[in-house]
Amino acid sequence: MHTHPHAPREPLSRISITMPRSLLRKMDALAESCGQKNRSQALAGMVRALLVEHESEAGQGEAVGTITLVYDHHRSRLQETLTHIQHEHGREIISGLHVHLDHNNCLEVLVVRGGAARLRRLADRLATVRGVKHGKLTLTTSGRNLPV
Ligand code: NI
């Protein structure tokens, strides 16, 4: 996790919370496996992660993310269809990476930005093209509205 050196420090609030002991143990174990030693920072990180998820799921404001596709480039017209869809979304697709995985399969990763709902529709369209074996959208936010 990184901090922004120039971001103004927000005042901290001290809270006392209760939770089942076993849940607390699991939280500590999770934090430790992420290299987080401070319980407060660990919990704040978890809340932040949930907020990112929720914000991008809500479909409001701008989201950024990636669309990952795996497909067999031998399938007739598949590449053509994918390119056609991508050209229609030139505004949302910031960048793309194409890897020829093996003789048949291609991996494509698109970096996308725009309204979450629109990005979800774009990902669905690409993933449901005949011949696409795997399609996955990962959304996040720029984190602009999240306190550090
Ligand atoms: Ni390829």
Side-chain angles (χ1 to χ4, degrees):
M1 194 183 300
H2 67 274
T3 53
H4 301 269
H6 303 297
R9 267 266 165 237
E10 239 187 277
L12 302 172
S13 296
R14 177 181 293 274
I15 57 164
S16 166
I17 57 171
T18 32
M19 69 171 83
R21 197 166 294 169
S22 62
L23 186 62
L24 181 62
R25 271 201 297 270
K26 283 184 175 164
M27 187 191 96
D28 285 342
L30 178 65
E32 209 189 315
S33 73
C34 300
Q36 192 66 260
K37 292 201 172 66
N38 179 315
R39 201 180 253 169
S40 296
Q41 284 178 14
L43 193 56
M46 290 170 197
V47 172
R48 229 176 265 122
L50 276 177
L51 284 169
V52 167
E53 209 172 284
H54 184 82
E55 205 174 285
S56 47
E57 268 172 16
Q60 285 163 357
E62 211 181 55
V64 289
T66 58
I67 297 172
T68 306
L69 301 169
V70 176
Y71 58 88
D72 183 341
H73 73 99
H74 286 125
R75 285 295 284 257
S76 65
R77 307 209 43 174
L78 171 57
Q79 193 100 57
E80 228 177 289
T81 308
L82 293 179
T83 304
H84 176 75
I85 297 171
Q86 291 185 38
H87 273 269
E88 278 185 354
H89 289 83
R91 225 156 32 134
E92 281 82 29
I93 300 172
I94 302 166
S95 180
L97 171 75
H98 187 116
V99 179
H100 310 299
L101 286 180
D102 53 39
H103 187 69
N104 302 313
N105 297 299
C106 300
L107 166 71
E108 218 165 292
V109 181
L110 306 172
V111 179
V112 292
R113 169 176 228 160
R118 201 172 151 78
L119 297 183
R120 200 166 284 118
R121 276 198 302 274
L122 168 61
D124 284 344
R125 247 185 106 187
L126 290 167
T128 53
V129 172
R130 226 178 133 80
V132 174
K133 296 174 180 178
H134 181 69
K136 186 174 166 50
L137 171 70
T138 306
L139 285 184
T140 180
T141 72
S142 61
R144 216 175 20 210
N145 302 319
L146 288 176
V148 281

